[in-house]
């Protein structure tokens, strides 16, 4: 393999990871796996941001990725706490059974 | 040589992502996701984003995923939900594959040149943190505040559960 690796290669990896994350959120009914898929999508966006940052030789993308890390950590902390409480009340993590907000 | 490592790490990352989404057991999914994040950290390092690669390993693959595993094991991994049936899923998958093929041919045929060589210190701790503590210091402080609020929220939810259980115990109505 003697080709050079450029911006587009990283963008393709980013697209693939993001689509896999979307598929996980759409097709899985386990709330924990849906959370993991959201994390996967955030990481895919980080790949593309850092690739553009490298392409433009600009450090602003690194700051953005750091903020995404902080927001992801906060989201996981609160989201999993809510999930634990729902599990204690409903005894399941299947999102199809989380219908008590509609009733 | 760079191309070889790029295809190795990106292929492994995509493979681990697919395994994350398709495994039935949430604990197995979490381990595949950790492996995916480690491969993505290698990609970050190949992009000269050394500081971000370290943070990816420490925060994502370390802290966040340990928390995930903790909660997954706490909730029990007995919920193996039945797979959904219907025509929607195969149609969406076929549409996704077609769109993906189009995007990849467009992207890979457009520009094929590599990156310019990175200057010294690009993506290191010193340069990134200097930017973070001068131009973007407000965002930095706000992310700290956000984490504080998230911690308070999580503790509040957990504490309310504890209080309910205590009243159950005092009332003697606990099963």
């Amino acid at each position: 393999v003697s080709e050079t690796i450029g911006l587009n290669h990283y963008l393709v990896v980013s697209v693939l990871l993001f689509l896999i994350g979307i598929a996980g959120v759409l097709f899985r009914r386990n709330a924990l796996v849906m959370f993991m898929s959201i994390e996967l999508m955030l990481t895919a966006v980080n790949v593309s941001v850092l690739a553009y940052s490298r392409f433009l030789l600009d450090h602003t993308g690194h700051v953005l990725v750091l903020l995404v890390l902080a927001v992801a950590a906060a989201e996981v902390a609160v989201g999993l706490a809510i999930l634990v409480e729902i599990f204690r009340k409903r005894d399941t993590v299947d999102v199809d059974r989380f219908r008590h907000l509609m009733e | 040589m760079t191309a070889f490592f790029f295809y190795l790490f990106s292929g492994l990352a995509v493979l681990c992502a697919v395994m994350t989404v398709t495994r039935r057991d949430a604990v197995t999914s979490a381990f595949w996701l950790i492996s995916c994040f480690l491969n993505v950290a290698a990609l970050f390092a190949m992009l000269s984003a050394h500081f971000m690669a370290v943070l990816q390993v420490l925060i994502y693959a370390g802290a966040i995923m340990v928390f995930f595993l903790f909660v997954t094991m706490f909730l029990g991994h007995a919920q193996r939900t039945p797979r959904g049936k219907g025509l929607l899923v195969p149609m969406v998958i076929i549409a996704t594959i077609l769109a993906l093929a189009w995007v990849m041919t467009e992207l890979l045929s457009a520009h094929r040149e590599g990156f310019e060589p990175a200057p010294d210190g690009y993506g290191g701790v010193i340069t990134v943190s200097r930017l973070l503590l001068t131009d973007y210091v407000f965002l930095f402080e706000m992310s700290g505040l956000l984490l504080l609020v998230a911690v308070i929220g999580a503790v509040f939810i957990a504490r309310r559960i504890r209080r309910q259980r205590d009243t159950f115990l005092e009332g003697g109505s606990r099963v």
Side-chain angles (χ1 to χ4, degrees):
Chain A
V1 188
S2 64
E3 61 178 318
T4 53
I5 300 299
L7 174 65
N8 288 319
H9 294 78
Y10 286 97
L11 290 185
V12 167
V13 175
S14 173
V15 166
L16 282 173
L17 290 178
F18 196 84
L19 283 176
I20 293 166
I22 288 179
V25 172
L26 286 183
F27 297 137
R28 291 303 301 265
R29 299 269 65 88
N30 189 331
L32 283 162
V33 179
M34 290 171 80
F35 255 111
M36 291 184 207
S37 303
I38 292 172
E39 298 300 313
L40 197 60
M41 288 156 76
L42 288 173
T43 307
V45 172
N46 283 350
V47 170
S48 85
V49 167
L50 282 179
Y52 269 108
S53 204
R54 176 73 178 79
F55 181 68
L56 301 170
L57 290 179
D58 186 358
H59 279 99
T60 315
H62 293 66
V63 177
L64 184 63
V65 170
L66 199 68
L67 289 178
V68 170
L69 280 177
V71 171
E75 171 228 330
V76 165
V78 176
L80 287 183
I82 292 172
L83 202 59
V84 166
E85 193 177 11
I86 290 176
F87 178 77
R88 288 185 184 216
K89 284 198 166 70
R90 309 284 298 182
D91 226 28
T92 181
V93 288
D94 187 350
V95 288
D96 279 343
R97 307 215 179 125
F98 292 170
R99 291 178 183 273
H100 55 290
L101 286 180
M102 292 160 56
E103 288 162 2
Chain B
M1 204 60 187
T2 313
F4 170 73
F5 280 113
F6 171 79
Y7 285 118
L8 176 71
F9 289 131
S10 58
L12 279 175
V14 171
L15 177 74
C16 293
V18 170
M19 297 300 270
T20 304
V21 172
T22 53
R23 293 305 93 187
R24 309 296 298 276
D25 191 5
V27 176
T28 320
S29 290
F31 278 112
W32 280 109
L33 191 59
I34 292 174
S35 171
C36 177
F37 283 161
L38 291 177
N39 284 299
V40 170
L43 286 181
F44 286 178
M46 290 183 68
L47 283 167
S48 306
H50 308 293
F51 185 35
M52 289 305 135
V54 170
L55 286 186
Q56 175 83 8
V57 174
L58 283 182
I59 297 180
Y60 252 123
I64 292 181
M65 288 315 294
V66 164
F67 188 42
F68 251 110
L69 269 176
F70 214 69
V71 172
T72 310
M73 289 175 171
F74 173 71
L75 295 187
H77 40 97
Q79 281 90 22
R80 287 160 193 259
T81 55
R83 204 174 295 237
K85 291 172 187 167
L87 202 60
L88 179 70
V89 175
M91 277 172 63
V92 171
I93 289 174
I94 289 171
T96 308
I97 289 173
L98 287 179
L100 199 62
W102 179 70
V103 166
M104 287 174 83
T105 48
E106 284 286 313
L107 276 177
L108 285 179
S109 63
H111 305 286
R112 296 198 73 100
E113 67 269 20
F115 292 116
E116 296 171 32
D120 273 351
Y122 176 85
V125 180
I126 296 172
T127 42
V128 175
S129 51
R130 179 172 293 137
L131 195 64
L132 198 63
L133 293 176
T134 53
D135 288 356
Y136 297 101
V137 67
F138 180 71
L139 293 179
F140 182 66
E141 298 293 340
M142 279 301 118
S143 62
L145 187 66
L146 176 72
L147 286 172
L148 179 68
V149 171
V151 167
I152 292 173
V155 168
F156 176 73
I157 292 171
R159 202 163 147 257
R160 200 169 49 182
I161 293 168
R162 172 86 58 82
R163 193 180 297 149
Q164 281 173 356
R165 199 168 56 203
D166 287 349
T167 51
F168 275 141
L169 283 175
E170 286 163 10
S173 61
R174 188 176 163 85
V175 180

